[in-house]
Amino acid sequence: MRSNTGSRFLGGGFSRTVFTHTYEDIISIPNLLAAWREFVRGKSGKPDVQEFQYRLFGNIFALHTELKYKTYAHGSYRHFKVNDPKPRDIHKASVRDRLVHHAIYRVLYPFFDRTFIADSYSCRNWKGTHKAMNRFRTFARKVSENDTRTCWVLKCDIRKFFASVDQHVLRTILERYITDSDILLLLDRVIGSFYSTEIGKGLPLGNLTSQLLVNIYMNEFDQFMKHTIKARYYTRYADDFVIVSRDRRELEAMLPKIDAFLHESLKLTLHPQKVSIATLVSGVDFLGWVHFPGHRALQTATKRRALRRTQGLEVDSPTVRSYLGMMSHGNTRKARSAIESQYSMSGRIDGQHLGLTEWPRSDFIQAGGNQPERGEDANTRDVPG
């Protein structure tokens, strides 16, 4: 969907792009039907989806009426836990509410995506983890002058990211872009339908809207990093970010400013055990891989998880193919061999047949991740909405 935008001139001549779609664009029957078609992909066999689909048009017209007359109220969530790899609390909304999330997302995403920096990679079309890792490697190569000079990396992680989002701050950010009070009211009902540790805190990991809202939230930090800190070699994926520099003291000077902005402006805190400044040659842990000059290797925990989850599965299982596909983006010959050795010769996976080859040291980073990636659903960290 193409986004309508306009410009509003503020004091001093500064122009901020504002969202000019209307509330009707979100709640219209055509948009709700298009949102349903997107939502139902891969879910048509689920009982709650089938129940809603049994009276699809009646349900959509009823939902449209509630939205039109502002009587819509967001329902409760079903809570469950996943280990991916660490324990995560997932909150799943009803089919009806998730349809509203998709209707909102279809209209808001194209507009807000244009406001994000190029080096924000989570939950965005044609971005993703592989693109983020490749960008990081490009920055490291440039700073180190093709691995001939020392390259320092500041690696940070935000503590309890989704659970710590301040809903009042988020609403204030949204109001800078969106002037339609009805859209803001609908967003307020979605945002306020959940809280983590206290009322007014957190977004549910599992909502499609949460993926967009945290990017809108963290765009404030991205703009701060680019325009105030002027971090030229900065890459962020969700709550993980890295900054590359030739000067360790430059990174040390950035850290208190980063910590202060996150705390004062976004009510977020850095994870004290996940902040480090290290040389690339010593290995930098980013997005499940340990990065070195010229190559990257899977974390040991990821290797073990891959072996555990592929045991007993068929050769052509999506899980097996997914792990082998992921491993094709780095130096993982031993890990792939370990997975392949779990199968008998008659059912052995043929890595060459699957198109999986080890990247040569000099050019693996250009080869890996060149295929377009739609934005991953919720933090693959991401969980589908």
Side-chain angles (χ1 to χ4, degrees), residues 138-151 246:
T138 298
F139 284 160
R141 257 198 172 145
K142 182 174 284 190
V143 170
S144 67
E145 296 182 7
N146 287 326
D147 305 328
T148 62
R149 303 190 63 171
T150 301
C151 174
R246 196 176 294 160

Side-chain angles (χ1 to χ4, degrees), residues 115-305:
T115 71
F116 300 153
I117 66 168
D119 292 316
S120 162
Y121 287 89
S122 174
C123 304
R124 296 179 65 189
N125 292 346
W126 318 116
K127 298 284 186 173
T129 53
H130 298 309
K131 294 289 179 67
M133 292 190 296
N134 290 350
R135 185 63 162 167
F136 168 53
R137 181 66 186 109
T138 298
F139 284 160
R141 257 198 172 145
K142 182 174 284 190
V143 170
S144 67
E145 296 182 7
N146 287 326
D147 305 328
T148 62
R149 303 190 63 171
T150 301
C151 174
W152 292 91
V153 181
L154 170 60
K155 162 74 169 64
C156 298
D157 183 287
I158 296 171
R159 189 171 192 171
K160 297 186 181 298
F161 181 40
F162 275 80
S164 300
V165 170
D166 187 285
Q167 294 178 5
H168 174 72
V169 173
L170 175 58
R171 290 184 185 102
T172 301
I173 295 169
L174 290 169
E175 287 168 2
R176 295 180 200 156
Y177 294 94
I178 301 172
T179 58
D180 189 312
S181 60
D182 290 336
I183 295 177
L184 290 170
L185 176 62
L186 179 58
L187 289 171
D188 194 56
R189 287 178 175 171
V190 173
I191 293 167
S193 67
F194 172 86
Y195 68 89
S196 53
T197 55
E198 60 185 271
I199 293 175
K201 279 283 187 184
L203 292 174
L205 184 56
N207 276 10
L208 180 65
T209 46
S210 295
Q211 299 176 33
L212 175 59
L213 292 172
V214 294
N215 269 339
I216 295 170
Y217 198 76
M218 286 301 292
N219 186 48
E220 300 293 302
F221 178 67
D222 294 338
Q223 301 298 336
F224 169 77
M225 291 301 299
K226 286 294 187 181
H227 300 294
T228 302
I229 297 294
K230 299 189 184 303
R232 187 175 179 185
Y233 303 114
Y234 162 80
T235 307
R236 182 179 66 82
Y237 185 95
D239 55 345
D240 291 343
F241 58 92
V242 287
I243 306 151
V244 184
S245 175
R246 196 176 294 160
D247 186 353
R248 179 188 176 106
R249 289 172 297 180
E250 179 186 31
L251 298 177
E252 289 173 341
M254 283 183 189
L255 193 51
K257 298 174 185 176
I258 289 170
D259 188 57
F261 181 88
L262 288 171
H263 179 71
E264 294 167 11
S265 299
L266 298 179
K267 314 301 181 188
L268 299 172
T269 57
L270 294 173
H271 196 302
Q273 276 78 52
K274 296 182 179 179
V275 175
S276 64
I277 299 177
T279 59
L280 186 64
V281 74
S282 67
V284 175
D285 186 343
F286 182 49
L287 301 180
W289 295 77
V290 182
H291 301 256
F292 299 93
H295 75 284
R296 59 187 176 219
L298 273 180
Q299 293 174 336
T300 301
T302 306
K303 294 177 190 175
R304 290 173 179 166
R305 187 165 64 253

